[in-house]
């Protein structure tokens, strides 16, 4: 499956949060692609490699988040894309969050290789 392969090969997962998305992720349809992808990403990547992006003003309050999205992501700082006009500053904020996760992942790989190499 291409979605699974994409999640397996990515360094960071960006989750665009809407009320409808949370309903689908928490819904009864175990075959729903939103639900499958979110749960797989949470299990494989963990929330440290996930960036929540709020798309609706009422969801700026994380107490309004529900289900697995709430459980996995409500404790994380989100990027606010809920304004009608997307600003360059918000795009830069999302880019910075993504790059921070990617750099951290890359540094972990380098540290592991250095540790392995020092064992001789």
């Amino acid at each position: 499956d291409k979605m699974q392969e994409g999640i397996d090969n990515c360094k960071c997962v960006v989750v665009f949060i809407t009320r409808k998305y949370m309903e689908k992720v928490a819904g009864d349809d175990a075959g729903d692609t939103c639900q499958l992808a979110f749960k797989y990403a949470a299990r494989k990547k963990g929330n440290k490699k996930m960036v929540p992006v709020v798309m609706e003003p009422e969801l700026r309050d994380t107490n309004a988040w529900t289900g697995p999205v709430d459980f996995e992501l409500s404790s994380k700082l989100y990027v606010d894309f809920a304004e009608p006009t997307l600003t360059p500053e918000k795009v830069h904020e999302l880019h910075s969050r993504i790059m921070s996760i990617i750099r951290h992942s890359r540094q972990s790989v380098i540290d592991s290789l250095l540790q392995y190499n020092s064992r001789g």
Side-chain angles (χ1 to χ4, degrees):
D1 170 74
K2 293 291 184 186
M3 192 175 322
Q4 180 181 353
E5 183 180 326
I7 292 168
D8 287 341
N9 292 322
C10 74
K11 301 273 188 246
C12 176
V13 176
V14 179
V15 181
F16 293 91
I17 301 173
T18 63
R19 174 95 36 218
K20 181 73 174 170
Y21 179 77
M22 287 189 299
E23 288 170 5
K24 289 178 70 102
V25 170
D28 294 332
D29 181 2
D32 182 87
T33 54
C34 291
Q35 185 178 120
L36 291 169
F38 181 84
K39 289 182 176 181
Y40 186 76
R43 189 171 67 249
K44 287 295 194 174
K45 299 299 176 180
N47 72 359
K48 289 184 179 181
K49 294 186 179 178
M50 298 174 84
V51 178
V53 179
V54 169
M55 300 298 291
E56 297 170 350
E58 65 274 12
L59 298 178
R60 289 177 175 135
D61 177 3
T62 57
N63 289 319
W65 296 14
T66 59
V69 173
D70 175 36
F71 180 77
E72 292 291 343
L73 299 177
S74 64
S75 65
K76 293 186 59 83
L77 182 64
Y78 62 79
V79 179
D80 185 357
F81 272 27
E83 292 299 320
T85 305
L86 190 58
T87 65
E89 293 80 18
K90 289 295 177 183
V91 174
H92 178 72
E93 180 182 352
L94 176 57
H95 178 262
S96 295
R97 295 278 299 282
I98 293 168
M99 293 309 296
S100 174
I101 291 169
I102 290 172
R103 276 192 300 274
H104 185 263
S105 293
R106 192 175 300 148
Q107 188 60 49
S108 295
V109 169
I110 291 168
D111 291 345
S112 295
L113 289 171
L114 289 173
Q115 184 178 9
Y116 177 80
N117 192 37
S118 68
R119 292 181 186 165

